[in-house]
Protein backbone atom coordinates (compact mmCIF):
# COMPACT_ATOMS: atom_id res chain seq x y z
CA UNK A 1 0.00 0.00 0.00
CA UNK A 2 3.00 2.28 -0.21
CA UNK A 3 1.74 3.61 -3.57
CA UNK A 4 -1.24 5.31 -1.92
CA UNK A 5 -1.30 8.70 -0.24
CA UNK A 6 -3.15 9.56 2.95
CA UNK A 7 -5.93 12.11 3.01
CA UNK A 8 -7.55 13.97 5.89
CA UNK A 9 -11.34 14.13 5.46
CA UNK A 10 -13.42 16.60 7.48
CA UNK A 11 -17.23 16.82 7.53
CA UNK A 12 -18.07 20.50 7.01
CA UNK A 13 -21.74 20.28 6.02
CA UNK A 14 -24.51 18.32 7.71
CA UNK A 15 -25.80 15.24 5.84
CA UNK A 16 -29.35 16.01 7.03
CA UNK A 17 -31.60 16.51 4.02
CA UNK A 18 -29.49 14.36 1.69
CA UNK A 19 -30.31 10.89 0.47
CA UNK A 20 -29.92 7.89 2.73
CA UNK A 21 -27.06 6.45 0.67
CA UNK A 22 -25.12 9.71 1.02
CA UNK A 23 -25.70 9.75 4.78
CA UNK A 24 -24.50 6.15 4.99
CA UNK A 25 -21.41 6.99 2.93
CA UNK A 26 -20.52 9.80 5.36
CA UNK A 27 -21.00 7.37 8.25
CA UNK A 28 -18.87 4.71 6.53
CA UNK A 29 -16.07 7.27 6.26
CA UNK A 30 -16.20 7.47 10.07
CA UNK A 31 -17.63 10.98 10.18
CA UNK A 32 -20.38 11.02 12.80
CA UNK A 33 -20.47 14.69 13.79
CA UNK A 34 -19.95 18.02 12.10
CA UNK A 35 -16.25 18.96 11.94
CA UNK A 36 -15.25 15.35 12.62
CA UNK A 37 -11.93 14.49 10.96
CA UNK A 38 -10.50 11.13 9.88
CA UNK A 39 -7.33 10.18 8.03
CA UNK A 40 -7.74 7.52 5.34
CA UNK A 41 -5.39 5.85 2.91
CA UNK A 42 -6.51 7.03 -0.51
CA UNK A 43 -7.52 3.73 -2.12
CA UNK A 44 -9.88 3.66 -5.12
CA UNK A 45 -12.72 2.67 -2.78
CA UNK A 46 -12.13 5.60 -0.41
CA UNK A 47 -11.69 8.00 -3.36
CA UNK A 48 -15.09 6.87 -4.72
CA UNK A 49 -16.76 7.41 -1.36
CA UNK A 50 -15.22 10.88 -1.08
CA UNK A 51 -16.31 11.74 -4.63
CA UNK A 52 -19.91 10.75 -3.82
CA UNK A 53 -20.20 13.22 -0.91
CA UNK A 54 -17.50 15.78 -1.79
CA UNK A 55 -20.03 18.61 -1.40
CA UNK A 56 -20.10 17.91 2.36
CA UNK A 57 -16.37 17.41 2.91
CA UNK A 58 -13.03 19.18 3.09
CA UNK A 59 -10.23 16.94 1.82
CA UNK A 60 -6.53 17.60 2.44
CA UNK A 61 -3.49 15.53 1.56
CA UNK A 62 -1.48 14.44 4.60
CA UNK A 63 2.32 14.36 4.60
CA UNK A 64 3.64 11.39 6.54
Amino acid sequence: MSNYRSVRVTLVKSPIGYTQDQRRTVQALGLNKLNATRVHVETPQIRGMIHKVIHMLRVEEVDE
Side-chain angles (χ1 to χ4, degrees), residues 37-51:
T37 300
R38 293 287 302 246
V39 175
H40 290 283
V41 175
E42 189 180 22
T43 62
Q45 295 83 4
I46 294 294
R47 178 45 68 187
M49 293 168 71
I50 290 171
H51 180 72

Side-chain angles (χ1 to χ4, degrees), residues 18-30:
Y18 289 98
T19 61
Q20 187 173 8
D21 63 319
Q22 288 179 334
R23 291 194 307 266
R24 286 181 177 171
T25 301
V26 168
Q27 194 173 28
L29 285 168

